[in-house]
Amino acid sequence: MNESAVRKTLTSVVVPGELEARGRGWTVVREVFEDLEPTPSPSSRRWPIAVAAVAVVLVAAAVTPPGRAVLGSVRDAIGRDRVVGVKGAQPSLFSLPAPGRLLAVSTRGPWVVDPNGSKRLLGAYREASWSPYGKFVVATKADELDTLEPGGRLHWSIAKPGITGARWGGTRTDTRIAYLSGGALHVIGGDGRDDRILVPRAAPVAPSWKSGDDHVLVYATPNGRVRIVDTDSGHVNGGWQGSPKQLAYSPDGKLILARSPKALDVYNAIGFHLARITGGRFVDAAWAPAADTLAYVTFDRATNRSTVWTVNREGTGRAQQLFGGAGRISGVTWSPDGRWVLASWDSADEWVFIRRGDGATKVVAARASITDQLNGHPGGTFPAVAGWSP
């Protein structure tokens, strides 16, 4: 008789007193859990579950050999809580499902990922973003801002203390870069000239440029206000009261998205409030290239699940669930053709690509082991997607 047959025979035997021991064990566990149950909060539900799991192990050990059955049940339960990625995910970044180049920031620095999966590391930068139309990249270190070609060639550089939130706006021939340094909001020409302080004090939130050539910018202030300003004249065109974590003009320049942890708000180009989306904790949001749809991510602490949604541009329609998974999804990014949404699923170490059509999810594709490939090792911070450019 082989090993497998022996194991099957032994596990099928009911030891005298086994069922009674199981009952006593689960009774103890239930009593422990009931003692803990009145005090949980949404942010601490894992604690009583963990205590109960430990109690199961202890009880199982006390009722050996019947405890083996209980231990097996515990292992099964733990396995069900483990994050399992998309079935059939490619084990590596062999290719992207749509045209365009991805910009992703790892612990080693930003990478440019081509549609065929080839990658180029730009250097030891902490943040990066595309210029209009993807011609260049603006990347920052602690005290330095650099502009580079997607192939890595440096164009110009400027040194300032504590640079963050650099964003490039404008047309193909007339551009500006806005960035934060020492608490001030700066604006500099796309050619590296005429650096100046636009606002002496701004909140640590990346500003957003209105598309086109009028050089209008939306930014947050430290005292809970949002301002829309003409960066050439300094004239304030509008604004509202709020403390967002993310600001984003729609690609057509007609709407502004403001994300806070508890809501998404949509405003018109001068700051008039149009709609509010609530429900869950809001992690990230992004406009579709055609500016007709919003994609966003929510996280439910009680269930430890993240969900990707889409809704119409004004945020007034019924939201459609696009994708969901256990653990953390940190961001959403649209493909340049607007056909795919990329969900950065940290907990599964995957980039998940979802293509929609006729109001339903049609294709879900994934690329696995993102951290290992871009960080150079399995650990560390999950790489953040900083844009998908034509």
Side-chain angles (χ1 to χ4, degrees), residues 175-256:
T175 65
R176 304 282 193 279
I177 296 172
Y179 67 92
L180 300 166
S181 171
L185 176 61
H186 288 244
V187 173
I188 188 172
D191 58 1
R193 300 175 181 177
D194 302 323
D195 178 75
R196 59 192 174 88
I197 294 177
L198 179 68
V199 179
R201 296 181 64 242
V205 177
S208 179
W209 288 98
K210 181 180 179 181
S211 61
D213 59 0
D214 51 2
H215 305 144
V216 171
L217 186 75
V218 61
Y219 71 95
T221 72
N223 59 351
R225 301 285 298 178
V226 176
R227 292 282 184 264
I228 303 166
V229 62
D230 184 315
T231 61
D232 291 338
S233 67
H235 177 71
V236 176
N237 296 338
W240 64 88
Q241 192 166 8
S243 300
K245 299 298 183 182
Q246 178 187 1
L247 290 166
Y249 262 106
S250 61
D252 61 6
K254 295 180 179 180
L255 299 173
I256 304 172

Side-chain angles (χ1 to χ4, degrees), residues 43-278:
S43 62
S44 60
R45 289 191 178 185
R46 293 181 186 176
W47 172 243
I49 294 173
V51 172
V54 172
V56 170
V57 174
L58 294 175
V59 171
V63 295
T64 306
R68 295 193 187 109
V70 180
L71 287 171
S73 298
V74 173
R75 281 194 296 269
D76 290 344
I78 293 173
R80 285 193 296 270
D81 289 339
R82 188 176 55 203
V83 176
V84 178
V86 173
K87 184 178 181 181
Q90 290 185 6
S92 188
L93 271 169
F94 297 140
S95 64
L96 302 178
R101 297 166 298 178
L102 277 176
L103 183 63
V105 182
S106 71
T107 55
R108 297 175 64 187
W111 294 81
V112 175
V113 183
D114 288 327
N116 65 1
S118 64
K119 304 179 290 292
R120 292 178 299 284
L121 182 64
L122 299 182
Y125 297 99
R126 302 190 307 180
E127 296 179 345
S129 62
W130 289 109
S131 73
Y133 312 101
K135 293 177 64 176
F136 301 100
V137 173
V138 56
T140 60
K141 300 177 182 178
D143 301 314
E144 181 178 309
L145 181 150
D146 294 347
T147 61
L148 312 97
E149 293 181 1
R153 179 187 173 191
L154 178 67
H155 271 241
W156 57 265
S157 177
I158 187 171
K160 295 288 179 180
I163 294 179
T164 62
R167 296 295 185 269
W168 206 329
T171 65
R172 290 182 182 272
T173 58
D174 185 8
T175 65
R176 304 282 193 279
I177 296 172
Y179 67 92
L180 300 166
S181 171
L185 176 61
H186 288 244
V187 173
I188 188 172
D191 58 1
R193 300 175 181 177
D194 302 323
D195 178 75
R196 59 192 174 88
I197 294 177
L198 179 68
V199 179
R201 296 181 64 242
V205 177
S208 179
W209 288 98
K210 181 180 179 181
S211 61
D213 59 0
D214 51 2
H215 305 144
V216 171
L217 186 75
V218 61
Y219 71 95
T221 72
N223 59 351
R225 301 285 298 178
V226 176
R227 292 282 184 264
I228 303 166
V229 62
D230 184 315
T231 61
D232 291 338
S233 67
H235 177 71
V236 176
N237 296 338
W240 64 88
Q241 192 166 8
S243 300
K245 299 298 183 182
Q246 178 187 1
L247 290 166
Y249 262 106
S250 61
D252 61 6
K254 295 180 179 180
L255 299 173
I256 304 172
L257 166 73
R259 176 184 61 82
S260 64
K262 296 183 178 180
L264 289 181
D265 290 287
V266 179
Y267 298 84
N268 70 6
I270 60 172
F272 181 79
H273 190 254
L274 300 176
R276 164 166 281 206
I277 304 169
T278 58

Side-chain angles (χ1 to χ4, degrees), residues 12-36:
S12 65
V13 175
V14 178
V15 179
E18 176 180 344
L19 298 178
E20 292 81 359
R22 282 197 216 178
R24 291 194 301 272
W26 285 114
T27 297
V28 173
V29 172
R30 185 175 63 250
E31 290 173 352
V32 171
F33 185 78
E34 288 173 350
D35 286 342
L36 293 168

